[in-house]
Amino acid sequence: MKDIYKIIVPENRLNERFKLLTECSLLDPAKNIMENICVLMNDKDGNFIKDFQSTGFDARVWEIYLFIFLYENQFNILQDVDRPDFHVMKKEYDFFIEASLSAEKEVEKYSREFIKESVEKNDLAVQKELIDYYSIRLGSVLFSKLNKKYWELDWVKGKPLVFAITPSHNYMAKFLPDAKIMEYLYGVKMITKEENGELIHIRNEVVEEHTHGEKTIPSHFFSHPDTENVSAVIFSNNCDLHKFNRIGYEHNLTEKNLLMTRSGYKYDDSKPNANAKDFTYILQKGKSIEDWNESLTIYHNPNAKIPLDRKAFHNVRQIWLNEDGKFDGIMMKNFVFHSITMASEFK
């Protein structure tokens, strides 16, 4: 896919974020690195560029991210089937990934302006609504994927099947804690308290359901019928244009003179139960700090018929239940929970 920015849809159907990507000089690194990645990709269904430029922009960005994540982790990305989205192999080990996201609705109550106003007013009721809505949207997307029954396809039978999801339904979704997707998947809420900068675990609470307004969905996705056919769930809340922009800038993929500053919260490895710590740094051309693994988590299904091999990935955060039914896993030293990036151009 060499001409992803050659317009093939009517002007009135162009996605606003696509227009921003192609027209805003501050996103020049993202524009260039995404073009470089897409040259490596194949358009399996023939609709990738059309979707990327119009209604499927966010979904296609998620696919571009997953492609380069897998590519950089030395997976061979096979082009032998039309679904699920990815068939990947490393040495003799192969599995399938189906990508999805909680897309923004045309009529959205929680608009960017609505969220900003509630944050400025410190409206805790609205903030709780946003968290409840988050769980409902992600849970509904994952549940709907079960209806596709990919595990019944001849080429998927006997192979691990992974669902990959990212939140994109509103402005705040990327900033909410990934603990909520963990609650939904495992049906467990960890109750903690903070003492002297450490998070002290008090107890686990069983989560039966998630409710927003008049809609309620059952929790504990990995216990639902048919989910035993899903080996794991890949999740990231950090795969937007800013990530492409930062990595593109660090790899010197722009001639623009930009000043980029990143701030956020990341894992603190200074002590076992440390709370997340804040960080701020100024990006430098040619100095690579961030990689595609950062902020991505693989949640393993304890009830999977065909588990996903944990050793297939390296330097990636992974979570599973151990033999005692307790949470276990791998945590990355510089795991970023969420961040914001500010950019400006100087002549």
Side-chain angles (χ1 to χ4, degrees):
M1 295 191 293
K2 295 183 178 180
D3 297 315
I4 60 171
Y5 300 123
K6 181 180 179 181
I7 305 301
I8 62 172
V9 302
E11 176 71 23
N12 62 352
R13 292 187 57 206
L14 287 176
N15 184 281
E16 289 300 319
R17 284 182 287 279
F18 173 81
K19 292 170 67 176
L20 187 69
L21 173 65
T22 55
E23 297 172 4
C24 179
S25 60
L26 298 179
L27 290 174
D28 193 58
K31 178 183 176 183
N32 294 333
I33 197 171
M34 292 176 82
E35 186 173 35
N36 290 350
I37 296 170
C38 285
V39 169
L40 304 173
M41 298 174 64
N42 288 326
D43 187 357
K44 291 196 301 183
D45 56 16
N47 295 320
F48 191 101
I49 296 176
K50 177 179 71 67
D51 293 344
F52 178 64
Q53 295 181 3
S54 56
T55 56
F57 178 78
D58 293 325
R60 294 307 192 180
V61 169
W62 178 224
E63 289 181 37
I64 294 171
Y65 168 79
L66 288 172
F67 176 91
I68 193 61
F69 163 74
L70 295 165
Y71 183 88
E72 290 293 316
N73 279 271
Q74 300 181 333
F75 284 98
N76 183 17
I77 302 171
L78 307 178
Q79 303 292 334
D80 53 345
V81 295
D82 62 344
R83 56 198 171 106
D85 293 310
F86 295 95
H87 182 197
V88 298
M89 177 176 287
K90 182 182 288 187
K91 297 181 179 179
E92 300 300 319
Y93 182 72
D94 67 320
F95 60 93
F96 293 86
I97 300 175
E98 174 63 15
S100 57
L101 80 168
S102 55
E104 189 175 4
K105 295 181 178 179
E106 287 188 18
V107 180
E108 177 61 66
K109 172 184 175 182
Y110 303 110
S111 66
R112 186 185 186 100
E113 292 73 21
F114 179 90
I115 292 172
K116 276 191 169 185
E117 183 180 351
S118 66
V119 170
E120 291 171 359
K121 293 180 178 179
N122 196 26
D123 191 329
L124 299 181
V126 171
Q127 292 177 34
K128 182 182 183 303
E129 280 184 40
L130 287 168
I131 293 174
D132 294 339
Y133 187 58
Y134 178 92
S135 301
I136 288 283
R137 290 300 308 275
L138 291 180
S140 297
V141 171
L142 287 173
F143 193 77
S144 68
K145 284 295 176 180
L146 288 177
N147 296 328
K148 303 292 185 180
K149 298 186 181 295
Y150 293 108
W151 56 86
E152 295 182 353
L153 298 171
D154 289 339
W155 52 90
V156 179
K157 288 179 180 178
K159 305 288 185 181
L161 171 65
V162 177
F163 287 168
I165 188 169
T166 188
S168 296
H169 51 272
N170 60 38
Y171 170 71
M172 186 59 70
K174 302 274 184 194
F175 297 101
L176 293 179
D178 61 352
K180 302 309 294 185
I181 184 68
M182 190 170 165
E183 283 181 20
Y184 173 70
L185 293 174
Y186 296 100
V188 173
K189 181 178 182 178
M190 290 187 287
I191 306 300
T192 61
K193 67 177 181 178
E194 185 177 349
E195 288 185 1
N196 301 320
E198 291 191 34
L199 287 177
I200 308 302
H201 180 257
I202 300 175
R203 65 184 184 278
N204 287 345
E205 288 185 356
V206 174
V207 180
E208 299 285 354
E209 58 188 22
H210 301 273
T211 300
H212 175 264
E214 297 180 354
K215 184 170 184 178
T216 297
I217 62 172
S219 189
H220 199 179
F221 176 76
F222 286 143
S223 70
H224 296 170
D226 287 336
T227 57
E228 68 275 9
N229 299 294
V230 180
S231 304
V233 170
I234 289 176
F235 173 86
S236 177
N237 61 354
N238 185 22
C239 61
D240 56 9
L241 292 181
H242 295 294
K243 185 172 186 72
F244 288 93
N245 212 37
R246 292 190 301 267
I247 295 181
Y249 187 76
E250 289 180 348
H251 286 78
N252 203 21
L253 293 177
T254 183
E255 296 181 357
K256 305 292 184 181
N257 295 312
L258 303 178
L259 175 63
M260 299 180 66
T261 304
R262 186 188 189 195
S263 301
Y265 289 91
K266 67 178 182 178
Y267 174 66
D268 184 355
D269 67 337
S270 63
K271 41 193 171 182
N273 300 310
N275 203 350
K277 63 180 179 181
D278 59 343
F279 69 89
T280 299
Y281 65 87
I282 298 175
L283 281 75
Q284 300 178 38
K285 279 187 179 181
K287 184 178 180 181
S288 181
I289 294 177
E290 186 174 359
D291 62 22
W292 301 106
N293 290 4
E294 185 193 273
S295 301
L296 181 141
T297 304
I298 302 174
Y299 296 98
H300 294 268
N301 183 358
N303 303 315
K305 287 182 179 179
I306 308 171
L308 180 67
D309 187 356
R310 302 173 198 160
K311 297 179 181 179
F313 295 87
H314 299 282
N315 299 320
V316 176
R317 184 190 187 211
Q318 301 188 61
I319 292 176
W320 60 80
L321 297 182
N322 61 25
E323 294 179 353
D324 297 324
K326 297 181 179 180
F327 286 111
D328 204 343
I330 300 168
M331 187 62 175
M332 307 314 301
K333 181 177 181 180
N334 292 313
F335 185 88
V336 173
F337 295 103
H338 63 76
S339 69
I340 59 173
T341 306
M342 305 297 291
S344 58
E345 182 179 9
F346 56 93
K347 304 295 184 181

